[in-house]
Structure formats: structure tokens, C-alpha cells
Amino acid sequence: MSATPSPGGPVRPSEPVAGPARKTPAVSCVFVCHDGHGRVLLARRGAGARDEPGTWDCGAGALEYGESFETAVAREVREEYSTGALEIETIGVRNVLREEPASHWVAVIFAVKVDPADVAIGEPHKFDALEWFAPDALPHPLHSQLAESLRLFHAWQGSWTGSPP
């Protein structure tokens, strides 16, 4: 969306701006779901995923206008994993710049406790597998952005003593 000042009035977002389009970062809520006993829930990205199909990743979704972070996380956990969030805690923030596909996200990272008995794939067009993993038994290949989210999760958990995943 572009904006120009209107004569004698406020900026109107529907009017075009001369010159190159302005790019702004998006806000993403990234969530590492856990069972409260050290295991994390990861989804394998399917053929319809936006990027890196075949890799394992935690959940994420865009913050929508007017939403609180917690509301966005609860909505995304329900959409992706068909379950409710039992506990939501902010564990970090990352500035994510990617060249392929080109994107810029401010990622707010959350630890989310869920009931393992209640999870199921909620978006089969994006994910083709959903499994629980111990920190020392992660699957391969991992999504390119997952390692940093897991580092934050393990630092929050206070149990990370080894090298990063």
C-alpha cells in the first residue's frame, strides 16, 4: 500500500506514490510448541508450503491488524495444529532478512505449551507430517530459520547445554 499527502489534508493510503514502492517489514509470531517435558512439536513442510518444502519447522503466522501477540499465537496454533494453547510465553525477538524468497520479518518468538493428545495437522495444504521430538533427536532437514528459534526456546527452558541444532 502506498501513500501520498493529499492537498491540505492527511495521508490517504489509496493514492499512488511516484517512484519506487516502499517496502516495510512484516511482523510474524513464531511459536515453538512443547509438551512441558522437553519435547517440541515440529511440522514437515509439504509441497504447498511457501518455501523450503520437505524441511521440518515450528509454527508461525503473520500478526493481523489490531491483534495482540497472544491472540495471534492462539489463532495460529489452532489453525496449524488444531489445538488450543495452554500457556503462551514470549521468549525473544529476531530481525529476519532473507534473500530467497526475498522477505523481511520482525519475528516475535513464543514458547507455547499444548496437550500432545490434541494436536493434528490443521493445514494439510502446507504440512504433510507432524511429530514430537526430543532436543537431542531432531529430524532432518531442518528449515533454515528453525535453529535460531530452537536456541531461544532452549535458553528460555534453561536446559540447553550442547551445541546448537
Side-chain angles (χ1 to χ4, degrees):
M1 183 177 274
S2 58
T4 58
S6 62
V11 171
R12 290 191 195 156
S14 60
E15 297 177 1
V17 173
R22 180 175 175 216
K23 295 181 180 180
T24 59
V27 178
S28 176
C29 293
V30 176
F31 46 93
V32 179
C33 288
H34 65 94
D35 63 0
H37 301 288
R39 295 185 311 160
V40 295
L41 181 64
L42 299 178
R44 188 173 59 206
R45 298 173 74 81
R50 179 190 53 193
D51 63 14
E52 301 186 48
T55 61
W56 291 87
D57 199 5
C58 60
L63 180 69
E64 295 180 359
Y65 183 83
E67 268 186 322
S68 70
F69 290 124
E70 293 76 13
T71 299
V73 170
R75 174 181 50 77
E76 288 289 343
V77 167
R78 171 88 41 215
E79 288 174 7
E80 292 185 13
Y81 300 147
S82 300
T83 191
L86 302 175
E87 298 173 11
I88 300 172
E89 189 165 341
T90 307
I91 60 173
V93 177
R94 297 183 53 224
N95 187 35
V96 181
L97 295 165
R98 296 182 67 187
E99 289 185 23
E100 190 58 40
S103 60
H104 183 184
W105 293 87
V106 175
V108 184
I109 318 297
F110 298 87
V112 178
K113 185 176 179 183
V114 297
D115 183 342
D118 291 341
V119 301
I121 295 174
E123 296 181 322
H125 57 287
K126 294 181 182 177
F127 309 112
D128 61 15
L130 189 62
E131 294 183 34
W132 289 95
F133 296 96
D136 60 348
L138 296 175
H140 293 282
L142 297 177
H143 189 275
S144 65
Q145 300 300 307
L146 180 60
E148 188 58 32
S149 296
L150 289 177
R151 278 188 204 94
L152 289 168
F153 175 75
H154 292 299
W156 166 80
Q157 197 177 36
S159 65
W160 189 250
T161 57
S163 59

